[in-house]
Amino acid sequence: MTTKQQNPVLLVHGINDTGAVFNKMALYLRQRGLSVYTVDLVPNNGAEVLDKLAQQVANYIAATFEPEQPLDLVGFSMGGLISRYYIQRLGGIERVQRFITISSPHKGTVIAYGSWLPGCMQMRPHSPFIEDLNSDVQMLKQLNFTSIWTPYDLMIIPAESSQIGIGKEITLPVVLHPLMLTDSRSLAIVAKALTEPVIP
């Protein structure tokens, strides 16, 4: 049995971004009847550990939605890891039904070696944070999970780090990391994933 209920959607941005990075996507989804929210994480530059930023997501959800309200999450880049921490470590698995990551470094990115900020260090390949999340990644099978990524990504290196081996995986030939939020194909894929039936 599947259910077609439509949940509110929370968009979680990446490093050095704010919720405004989703303006085009949010408009696109709202035009299709979805209820869309964005959160601004502070600080957004990698100076805070990702588990603390995930707590900000949890606090926003607690303050914005009724406790029994199911949700859908879309995480871009670092926001995908933050969303995963919320789902896997802060009880989000009980609420989130559809989860989409866009160009997220599920296995880390070598770009993160360029910074000693604590949040960036957590995004390095094989960091304790990444290894912890991936130790029970199988729990994401309980959700409708979709990973969208581009092989040409210069922020997620290697680009295959966005592969997680669970759920749906969609590769788009988009040339730049930020364009994954505005490319018409990406928008259509996100909208489709957010309106597919949820398997209870």
Side-chain angles (χ1 to χ4, degrees):
M1 176 188 160
T2 58
T3 53
K4 189 68 193 276
Q5 74 180 51
Q6 204 45 67
N7 300 328
V9 180
L10 179 60
L11 309 177
V12 183
H13 64 77
I15 197 164
N16 297 325
D17 286 330
T18 66
V21 77
F22 288 112
N23 280 354
K24 183 173 181 180
M25 180 176 288
L27 176 64
Y28 182 91
L29 295 174
R30 287 178 183 129
Q31 287 172 339
R32 280 148 187 82
L34 291 161
S35 177
V36 182
Y37 298 77
T38 58
V39 58
D40 291 328
L41 303 173
V42 181
N44 65 356
N45 63 353
E48 183 57 276
V49 290
L50 305 191
D51 19 321
K52 291 280 182 63
L53 296 179
Q55 186 61 55
Q56 290 183 30
V57 171
N59 293 346
Y60 177 88
I61 288 170
T64 308
F65 306 106
E66 294 298 324
E68 65 280 358
Q69 174 63 59
L71 301 170
D72 297 338
L73 277 188
V74 178
F76 172 59
S77 196
M78 178 180 79
L81 292 178
I82 292 167
S83 299
R84 277 186 64 193
Y85 193 90
Y86 165 70
I87 290 168
Q88 293 179 239
R89 298 288 175 264
L90 299 178
I93 191 76
E94 304 296 330
R95 301 191 64 162
V96 176
Q97 294 187 331
R98 300 176 185 91
F99 177 37
I100 302 168
T101 59
I102 303 171
S103 293
S104 288
H106 292 299
K107 295 173 187 156
T109 173
V110 298
I111 293 287
Y113 285 110
S115 171
W116 289 94
L117 291 172
C120 295
M121 291 171 64
Q122 286 180 313
M123 290 190 280
R124 294 175 179 178
H126 306 295
S127 74
F129 181 84
I130 294 274
E131 296 287 295
D132 174 59
L133 283 184
N134 288 339
S135 69
D136 60 358
V137 68
Q138 299 297 322
M139 70 193 294
L140 295 180
K141 286 182 175 177
Q142 299 174 43
L143 317 174
N144 284 38
F145 175 67
T146 306
S147 172
I148 309 168
W149 62 285
T150 171
Y152 305 116
D153 209 314
L154 297 178
M155 289 295 291
I156 310 302
I157 298 176
E160 292 76 18
S161 175
S162 292
Q163 294 180 300
I164 197 169
I166 283 173
K168 284 193 195 131
E169 186 179 303
I170 300 169
T171 312
L172 281 180
V174 175
V175 291
L176 292 172
H177 188 67
L179 295 183
M180 289 293 283
L181 295 184
T182 56
D183 186 279
S184 59
R185 295 164 297 181
S186 186
L187 296 177
I189 290 164
V190 170
K192 183 172 185 289
L194 288 172
T195 52
E196 68 184 10
V198 171
I199 300 167

